């Protein structure tokens, strides 16, 4: 603590100031006994080194040293007082209007009962800001997740806001494709792993969290986005029309940024969106370059520039713009080029300068990783700021820069998935996956959290299926912080508890971990205080750096759901009652309408349990119409699942309702097309109804 040290310093200074005068006065007396007489002066001149004169000289020297010390202390005190007065003069005081508003707010706060129970916040309430508005001119791992006026910084890079939005949209499509491809399985007593429930890479989660916490550019007061290296969906408007060379410490990172942003911009189009030479791709993506390149749609890897002509409409083969087609050139300048982005290395650019210049007229962007004597060259710093090397001191645009790990993480959301292993034939109560080599348990154990009934039922109930709500005697308790609500839902989904690192990584993935321990402590303390004020109990236990919900103090609907799943999958009877109990316990998607990045794997695992229950009841139903009703109920839970639609169409054809089958096919195809996940080569939904259903079974 600082105050003991300050007190000791003050006592030491006072001792120095008061000690010497006390000693001198008590031993020698006053420093001046009167002026010397003429006789004393003549005696001192004749014999100066006497005991009396030496004592007087030492006494005078001691008093002079003390005066110097006292002068120094007085000057320091006066300087400190002057600084304090200056600070008080500069301190802003509230205006009369501000003072009035503060008084009204204080009266409102003290006038509200601390035990009041109010409605929970609306679903669209924005979460507590995890970042701060700042000019992230030099994003480093220490300021990862800070939302700048032109983009978002993450650990290992910086992205323009429009690119971050494309990453978030692509991540959402990944989960829609997984929902579309899932095939409900027969129930069984044994558990299994679902590889397609693995969470998306941490960089993607950080981008989603930082984007959710940042204000939209359309909102008042939000800064407008500046120029970027890629302007989706048309690339290269920020680049010189003749291409640009990239040098400096951030050149490789800028090349990765151009590769990722170009592939994101072209992911909705079947044509090639990026052409890159093989010598460039290996340094950009590292050892997995060859494997990842085969999975990236829209990426063409060439050995030399001579192979690039086939990908450009304005190639040297004569399909390009002629020298006299000035009007067409002007139109292209206005609308932007529509060809792919070309990324090459410096040796290829020098050896094929004429070919490169002709390709630039039909490309979205041309970048050379190195100096380019035939065009402009920019020096890129690690934060993405550019500066031309032609002597122009004006700064260039800020470009997207990504490290190797960050780039591969972001490319995961647009890459074709690896061939998945065949699913086991049984389905159990727990679906686990491995995250960074560590198994993650998503659901409760029935032995640890039994279903309570009767008088021992706690007064607090936590509902996380549907809109998350904490209830006290069936009345909602207001949770002021969105982060606190996240903590409740996270602990409900992890009944075995979570440590500080797991909680902070899940709730604030876009911020550096060293700054989050205090934030988590504040959030949990506020949550505990809110619950204690409303119910008089604390339901969050903290032991050995692990937080968990006390099962004796709160009931959780998700735990009841998993208890029903366990009963159904371990039942030896063929009775449909256990599976109906699973369906009855499912009241909606886990934390419905919430977009927390950590939530999707657990939400999808929970949804698949109830889909398995519907499919099991439909398969066991002897009545075709009853089976169809179970399938239709499952489709209402997951309207993107292809297997359920295939079964429903088959059931409709079996009962002779061909019009309804055709209507279901067409509506499903329109839904997939609207979501952007309609596979290429899908069979026509108006195909003949006499054969197999035309629903794709991807």
């Amino acid at each position: 603590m600082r105050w003991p040290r300050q007190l000791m310093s003050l006592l030491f200074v006072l001792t120095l100031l008061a000690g010497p005068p006390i000693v001198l006065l008590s031993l020698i007396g006053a420093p001046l006994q009167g002026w010397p007489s003429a006789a004393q002066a003549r005696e001192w001149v004749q014999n100066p080194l006497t005991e009396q004169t030496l004592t007087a000289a030492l006494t005078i020297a001691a008093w002079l040293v003390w005066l110097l010390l006292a002068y120094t202390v007085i000057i320091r005190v006066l300087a400190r007082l002057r600084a304090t007065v200056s600070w008080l003069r500069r301190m802003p005081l509230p205006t009369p209007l501000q003072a009035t508003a503060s008084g009204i707010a204080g009266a409102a706060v003290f006038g509200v009962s601390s035990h009041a129970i109010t409605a929970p916040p609306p679903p669209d309430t924005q979460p507590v800001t995890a970042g701060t508005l700042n000019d992230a001119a030099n994003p480093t791992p220490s300021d990862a997740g800070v939302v700048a006026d032109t983009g978002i910084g993450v650990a290992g890079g910086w992205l323009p806001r429009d690119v971050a939005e494309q990453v978030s949209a692509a991540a959402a499509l990944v989960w829609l494709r997984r929902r579309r491809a899932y095939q409900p399985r027969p129930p069984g007593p044994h558990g299994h792993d679902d590889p397609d429930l693995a969470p998306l890479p941490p960089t993607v989660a950080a981008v989603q969290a930082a984007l959710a916490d940042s204000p939209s550019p359309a909102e008042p007061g939000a800064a407008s986005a500046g120029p970027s290296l890629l302007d989706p969906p048309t690339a290269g408007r920020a680049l010189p029309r003749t291409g640009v060379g990239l040098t400096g410490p951030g050149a490789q990172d800028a090349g990765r940024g151009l590769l990722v942003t170009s592939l994101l911009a072209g992911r909705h189009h079947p044509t090639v969106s990026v052409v890159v030479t093989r010598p460039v791709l290996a340094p950009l993506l590292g050892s997995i370059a060859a494997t990842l390149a085969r999975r990236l749609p829209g990426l063409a890897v060439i050995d030399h520039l001579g192979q690039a002509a086939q990908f450009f409409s304005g190639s040297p083969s004569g399909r390009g713009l002629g020298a006299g087609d000035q009007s067409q050139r002007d139109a292209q300048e206005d609308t932007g080029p529509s060809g792919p982005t070309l990324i090459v290395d410096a040796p290829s650019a020098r050896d094929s300068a004429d070919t490169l210049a002709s390709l630039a007229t039909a490309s979205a962007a041309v970048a050379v990783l190195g100096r380019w004597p035939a065009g402009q060259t920019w020096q890129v710093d690690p934060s993405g700021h550019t500066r031309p090397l032609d002597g122009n001191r004006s700064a260039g645009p800020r470009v997207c820069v990504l490290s190797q790990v960050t780039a591969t993480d972001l490319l995961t959301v647009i890459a074709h998935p690896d061939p998945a292993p065949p699913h086991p034939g049984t389905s159990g109560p727990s679906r686990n996956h491995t995250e960074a080599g560590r198994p993650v348990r998503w659901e409760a154990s029935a032995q640890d959290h039994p279903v309570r009934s009767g008088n021992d039922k706690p007064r607090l109930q936590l509902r996380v299926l549907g809109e998350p709500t904490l209830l006290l005697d069936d009345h909602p308790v207001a949770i002021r912080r969105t982060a606190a609500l996240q903590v409740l839902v996270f602990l409900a989904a992890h009944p075995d508890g979570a440590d500080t690192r797991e909680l902070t990584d899940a709730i604030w993935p876009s911020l550096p971990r060293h700054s989050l321990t205090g934030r988590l402590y504040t959030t949990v303390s506020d949550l505990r205080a809110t619950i204690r004020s409303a119910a008089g109990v604390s339901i969050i236990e903290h032991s050995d750096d692990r937080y968990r919900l006390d099962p004796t103090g709160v009931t959780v609907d998700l735990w009841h759901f998993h208890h029903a799943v366990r009963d159904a999958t371990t039942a030896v009877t063929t009775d449909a009652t256990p599976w109906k109990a699973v369906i009855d316990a499912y009241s909606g998607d886990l934390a419905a309408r919430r977009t927390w990045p950590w939530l999707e794997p657990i939400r999808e695992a929970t949804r698949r349990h109830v889909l398995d229950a519907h499919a099991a009841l439909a398969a066991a139903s002897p009545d075709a119409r009853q089976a169809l009703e179970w399938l239709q109920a499952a489709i209402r839970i997951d309207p993107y699942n292809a297997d359920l639609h295939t079964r429903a169409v088959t059931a409709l054809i079996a009962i002779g309702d061909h019009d309804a089958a055709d209507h279901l096919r067409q509506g499903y195809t329109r839904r997939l097309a609207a979501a952007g996940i309609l596979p290429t080569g899908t069979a026509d939904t108006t195909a003949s109804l006499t054969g197999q259903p035309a629903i794709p079974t991807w």
Side-chain angles (χ1 to χ4, degrees), residues 603-617:
R603 174 186 288 162
E604 179 61 16
T606 307
R607 183 190 292 117
R608 290 182 181 185
H609 281 312
V610 75
L611 294 184
D612 290 346
H614 283 86
L617 290 173

Side-chain angles (χ1 to χ4, degrees), residues 244-590:
V244 66
L246 303 175
T247 62
Q252 291 286 332
D253 292 347
R256 296 185 192 96
L258 180 58
L259 174 67
V260 172
T261 52
S262 299
L263 289 174
L264 283 169
R267 60 189 170 89
H268 295 298
H269 306 286
T271 58
V272 172
S273 56
V274 178
V275 178
V276 60
T277 56
R278 202 173 304 276
V280 167
L281 190 62
L284 291 183
L285 300 183
S287 59
I288 65 171
T291 304
L292 185 59
R294 289 193 295 268
R295 298 171 48 207
L296 290 173
L299 177 64
V301 183
I302 59 176
D303 294 318
H304 53 82
L305 278 179
Q307 300 175 345
Q310 57 182 315
F311 303 107
F312 295 86
S313 60
S315 64
S317 59
R319 292 175 294 172
L321 298 175
D325 297 335
Q326 186 62 39
S327 60
Q328 190 173 355
R329 291 180 182 273
D330 294 340
Q332 190 184 65
E333 291 284 348
D334 295 336
T335 61
S338 58
T341 298
L342 180 61
I343 308 175
V344 299
D345 56 343
S348 298
R350 288 192 298 267
D351 297 340
S352 306
D354 295 338
T355 302
L356 190 61
S358 61
L359 293 175
T361 61
S363 64
V366 175
V368 177
L369 299 187
R371 287 182 175 271
W372 190 11
Q376 296 188 36
T377 299
W378 290 351
Q379 185 175 16
V380 187
D381 64 17
S383 62
H385 292 91
T386 62
R387 181 174 60 85
L389 295 183
D390 57 1
N392 187 357
R393 295 186 177 181
S394 60
R398 188 177 186 183
V399 300
C400 178
V401 285
L402 302 171
S403 67
Q404 194 173 96
V405 174
T406 303
T408 53
D409 280 356
L410 297 182
L411 289 175
T412 301
V413 300
I414 59 175
H416 292 305
D418 289 324
H423 293 297
T426 60
S427 172
S430 66
R431 290 191 174 96
N432 303 331
H433 72 270
T434 299
E435 181 180 5
R438 176 174 54 85
V440 178
R441 185 180 182 186
W442 291 132
E443 51 198 64
S445 167
Q447 293 90 342
D448 296 339
H449 306 285
V451 177
R452 300 175 182 274
S453 61
N455 296 329
D456 62 341
K457 183 178 180 180
R459 299 171 59 206
L460 284 171
Q461 306 171 50
L462 178 58
R463 296 178 182 174
V464 295
L465 295 175
E467 175 64 24
T469 308
L470 180 64
L471 299 174
L472 173 62
D473 296 332
D474 296 328
H475 296 283
V477 178
I479 306 297
R480 294 188 295 269
R481 296 172 178 259
T482 304
L485 186 62
Q486 274 203 73
V487 170
L488 273 180
V489 179
F490 191 89
L491 295 180
H494 299 79
D496 291 335
D499 58 25
T500 300
R501 177 175 178 176
E502 292 169 341
L503 280 169
T504 54
D505 286 351
I507 299 176
W508 298 286
S510 61
L511 294 182
R513 186 177 297 141
H514 64 78
S515 65
L516 295 177
T517 302
R519 181 174 298 206
L520 176 64
Y521 176 79
T522 302
T523 301
V524 175
S525 297
D526 181 80
L527 178 60
R528 282 174 163 173
T530 299
I531 298 175
R532 190 180 297 109
S533 174
V537 297
S538 178
I539 62 174
I540 300 180
E541 299 177 345
H542 187 204
S543 177
D544 297 330
D545 194 37
R546 292 191 67 83
Y547 296 88
R548 65 188 295 267
L549 291 180
D550 180 8
T552 64
V554 62
T555 59
V556 182
D557 58 351
L558 182 62
W559 298 352
H560 283 260
F561 174 79
H562 286 299
H563 183 87
V565 171
R566 180 181 178 85
D567 288 346
T569 54
T570 57
V572 295
T573 179
T574 58
D575 187 10
T577 302
W579 288 109
K580 291 180 180 178
V582 172
I583 296 174
D584 293 339
Y586 187 82
S587 55
D589 287 344
L590 179 63

Side-chain angles (χ1 to χ4, degrees), residues 667-680:
Y668 180 59
T669 302
R670 287 193 298 268
R671 185 178 298 112
L672 294 184
I677 56 174
L678 183 65
T680 57

Side-chain angles (χ1 to χ4, degrees), residues 81-269:
L81 290 175
R82 188 181 299 110
T84 303
V85 172
S86 177
W87 176 80
L88 291 174
R89 289 177 177 176
R90 294 194 305 268
M91 184 177 65
L93 296 177
T95 63
L97 181 59
Q98 292 173 331
T100 303
S102 301
I104 295 175
V109 169
F110 286 105
V112 176
S113 172
S114 60
H115 298 276
I117 299 177
T118 59
D124 58 349
T125 301
Q126 292 296 326
V128 177
T129 303
T132 56
L133 292 178
N134 205 326
D135 181 14
N138 297 291
T140 62
S142 62
D143 63 5
V146 176
V147 180
D149 55 348
T150 56
I152 291 176
V154 295
W158 179 89
L159 299 86
R161 184 183 178 89
D162 52 359
V163 177
E165 290 173 347
Q166 291 188 52
V167 170
S168 180
L173 291 181
V174 169
W175 286 106
L176 283 182
R177 291 190 183 98
R178 292 179 178 182
R179 292 172 59 180
R180 180 192 66 190
Y182 175 68
Q183 298 182 9
R185 306 161 204 175
H190 304 292
H192 67 274
D193 294 335
D194 284 337
D196 60 342
L197 286 179
L200 298 181
T203 303
V204 179
V207 170
Q208 291 177 306
L211 192 63
D213 293 341
S214 66
S216 172
E219 295 178 3
S224 60
S228 64
L229 187 61
L230 188 72
D231 188 13
T234 302
R237 290 181 179 174
L239 298 181
R241 292 294 305 129
T242 57
V244 66
L246 303 175
T247 62
Q252 291 286 332
D253 292 347
R256 296 185 192 96
L258 180 58
L259 174 67
V260 172
T261 52
S262 299
L263 289 174
L264 283 169
R267 60 189 170 89
H268 295 298
H269 306 286

